Amino acid sequence: MTSLTRRRLFGQAANLAGALAMGAYAGKTAWAAPGRLRVVVAGAHPDDPETGCGGTIARYSDAGHEVVILYLTRGERGIKGKTYEEAGRIRSVEAQKACEILKARPVFAGQVNGKVEVNYTRYDEFLKLVQSEQPDVVFTHWPIDTHEDHPATSLLVYEAWLRMERKFALYYFEVITGMQTSQFSPTHYVDITATEARKRAACFAHASQNPEEFYAVHDQMNRCRGMELGSKYAEAFIHHAQSPEIAMPA
Ligand SMILES: [Zn+2]
């Protein structure tokens, strides 16, 4: 962040976000955010942040903002025939590759897929992690989702947001809508036409997860959200109305 104080940054960001809102729907406005934003994208498993907002992550990192991808687990339950340790190792390497493609920094929160806990100890632990990143904006799972680890991640982020006095902007993303995420009515869209190829490459870095199959659904979502926005490809988000409006890539 530059010499801007956080309050001034949010003030300017709010003005800018308001000014961008109309432009965002036209999908044509050149984007510049004030100062350098610290963006955290929290997902339950390697591949969730990439599928939910890989195009937006690339938009932020291309514009010089710092993006951290925070994985709650290493997806230890996610490869048939492998032990949790083996799968966790393989999927961590895949996550590192995806983060390189998106120019983001991976952080692993240390929970285990298949044994995810949401309790007071976990709230404390996750809060410390989020505090250490000092985010201006956090993206996480929409909590109405069929995979039990996705709402768990969402609740951990939400509790951290409450305990940090709602200071950072909070947005929710969608994954495999219709099969996992449901009841998702976007408030914001980001044009990812320029970064869709990198999103796709980052998703395909998760080779152990049958990316042909899961990306086919996200390809449809990217196109559908793009039609809603008026661009070729887009990602959609729900903004928590009690959190600051921070500049979204427009
Ligand atoms: Zn997941």
Side-chain angles (χ1 to χ4, degrees), residues 4-70:
L4 282 172
T5 64
R6 184 159 295 214
R7 175 176 268 185
R8 280 186 60 212
L9 174 68
F10 279 133
Q12 291 191 13
N15 292 339
L16 185 62
L20 286 176
M22 287 170 63
Y25 283 85
K28 288 172 184 166
T29 309
W31 181 58
R36 187 163 191 250
L37 299 175
R38 293 174 65 96
V39 181
V40 170
V41 181
H45 315 110
D47 78 14
D48 287 323
E50 296 87 332
T51 50
C53 46
T56 300
I57 291 170
R59 292 286 317 274
Y60 273 117
S61 59
D62 284 355
H65 301 292
E66 181 182 345
V67 185
V68 168
I69 297 186
L70 177 53

Side-chain angles (χ1 to χ4, degrees), residues 61-223:
S61 59
D62 284 355
H65 301 292
E66 181 182 345
V67 185
V68 168
I69 297 186
L70 177 53
Y71 299 104
L72 185 68
T73 76
R74 295 174 186 266
E76 290 89 341
R77 198 176 57 173
I79 307 180
K80 278 205 177 100
K82 300 280 183 197
T83 65
Y84 276 22
E85 289 71 23
E86 288 167 342
R89 240 187 338 265
I90 291 167
R91 298 194 68 185
S92 299
V93 172
E94 292 173 346
Q96 301 269 5
K97 274 187 206 160
C99 285
E100 277 169 34
I101 292 166
L102 298 174
K103 292 190 278 182
R105 173 167 56 88
V107 172
F108 294 92
Q111 288 224 39
V112 175
N113 176 208
K115 301 177 184 174
V116 166
E117 298 173 346
V118 178
N119 56 39
Y120 288 103
T121 305
R122 294 300 191 177
Y123 281 138
D124 292 345
E125 178 186 283
F126 198 79
L127 171 67
K128 279 184 195 140
L129 201 50
V130 176
Q131 279 174 326
S132 71
E133 296 296 341
Q134 298 184 295
D136 298 302
V137 51
V138 177
F139 293 84
T140 192
H141 291 276
W142 175 244
I144 305 176
D145 187 297
T146 56
H147 194 302
E148 63 266 60
D149 294 351
H150 297 174
T153 309
S154 194
L155 288 175
L156 290 166
V157 171
Y158 182 69
E159 184 63 21
W161 177 71
L162 290 176
R163 294 192 193 181
M164 290 171 73
E165 300 174 342
R166 308 174 195 213
K167 279 183 182 155
F168 57 79
L170 178 59
Y171 291 93
Y172 295 98
F173 59 75
E174 54 180 338
V175 290
I176 318 187
T177 289
M179 285 181 261
Q180 292 191 335
T181 296
S182 64
Q183 301 290 299
F184 192 88
S185 299
T187 60
H188 288 67
Y189 293 85
V190 172
D191 184 344
I192 62 158
T193 306
T195 54
E196 188 276 338
R198 275 173 49 222
K199 171 177 183 170
R200 182 183 292 262
C203 290
F204 275 77
H206 296 282
S208 70
Q209 299 303 298
N210 195 4
E212 293 82 5
E213 196 172 297
F214 78 71
Y215 200 78
V217 181
H218 274 271
D219 191 45
Q220 286 184 308
M221 289 163 60
N222 296 339
R223 290 172 192 274

Side-chain angles (χ1 to χ4, degrees), residues 235-249:
E235 287 169 342
F237 301 95
I238 294 176
H239 172 245
H240 195 300
Q242 293 175 0
S243 77
E245 276 268 4
I246 203 85
M248 295 278 275

